[in-house]
């Protein structure tokens, strides 16, 4: 198996296991989706990956005009193969170095911003604000770190139990936990992320969902 094929298999495996990896995944994604207006709007999805959440959005309204941006050509290739995403615009690019031209009614991102450094995240949120049309919304579902280490210990124990209860093998659990450890230097707290959205200029901010490590935050311009 080539490196390219191995990578695609890993990505597909991750998508298939999202509901095992993320506790309350159904509520997490449905909450993000429920705040997207149901009428035809222009949406930019940051870190769209294989089009996992993109498919959910178009299932809600196939008339959405969605621009997907991701820095992984392999993931974009998988997204392009999905017939239901044929009407989307796909852009290969790094969201920390600039966003596509134009303005949007909504900017959506799920499980992406925790991968980038804090300073880049703050700059990106300011740029998202500028890209939104008046009354536009920014919807971010992501994982965060708690304010204190003892809380992280409790959450991590609950997380491992969740993955075991869903039947995930121990080697995959270790690999998944290792991913959080690798991302730890980049993780924001919920309060820190809230401050960034507020400082960017968003006037109304809502946190409709939190569960242990994950949360959803909405900002309206």
């Amino acid at each position: 198996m080539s490196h390219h094929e191995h990578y695609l298999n890993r990505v597909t495996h991750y998508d298939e296991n999202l509901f095992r990896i993320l506790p309350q995944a159904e509520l997490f994604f449905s909450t993000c989706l429920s705040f997207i207006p149901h009428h035809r709007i222009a949406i930019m999805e940051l870190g769209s990956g294989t089009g996992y959440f993109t498919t959910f959005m178009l299932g809600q309204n196939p008339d959405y005009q969605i621009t997907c941006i991701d820095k992984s050509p392999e993931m974009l290739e998988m997204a392009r193969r999905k017939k239901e995403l044929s009407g989307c615009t796909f852009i290969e690019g790094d969201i920390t170095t600039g966003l596509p031209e134009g303005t949007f009614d909504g900017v959506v991102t799920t499980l992406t911003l925790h991968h980038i450094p804090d300073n880049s995240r703050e700059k990106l949120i300011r740029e998202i604000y500028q890209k939104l049309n008046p009354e536009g919304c920014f919807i971010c579902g992501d994982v965060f770190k708690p304010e204190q280490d003892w809380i992280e210990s409790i959450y991590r124990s609950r997380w491992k139990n969740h993955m075991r209860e869903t039947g995930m093998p121990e080697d995959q659990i270790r690999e998944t936990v290792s991913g959080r450890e690798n991302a730890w230097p980049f993780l924001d707290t919920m309060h820190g992320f809230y401050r960034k959205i507020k400082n960017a200029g968003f006037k109304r901010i809502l946190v409709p969902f939190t569960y242990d490590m994950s949360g959803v935050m909405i900002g309206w311009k």
Side-chain angles (χ1 to χ4, degrees), residues 156 176-185:
R156 198 170 292 197
T176 304
V177 173
S178 176
R180 181 168 174 87
E181 291 170 351
N182 292 337
W184 187 258

Side-chain angles (χ1 to χ4, degrees), residues 112-130:
T112 294
L113 300 195
H114 70 276
H115 290 298
I116 66 177
D118 203 57
N119 288 340
S120 296
R121 186 160 44 237
E122 185 166 22
K123 177 177 174 289
L124 175 62
I125 293 171
R126 291 181 183 277
E127 189 171 356
I128 288 169
Y129 182 83
Q130 298 300 324

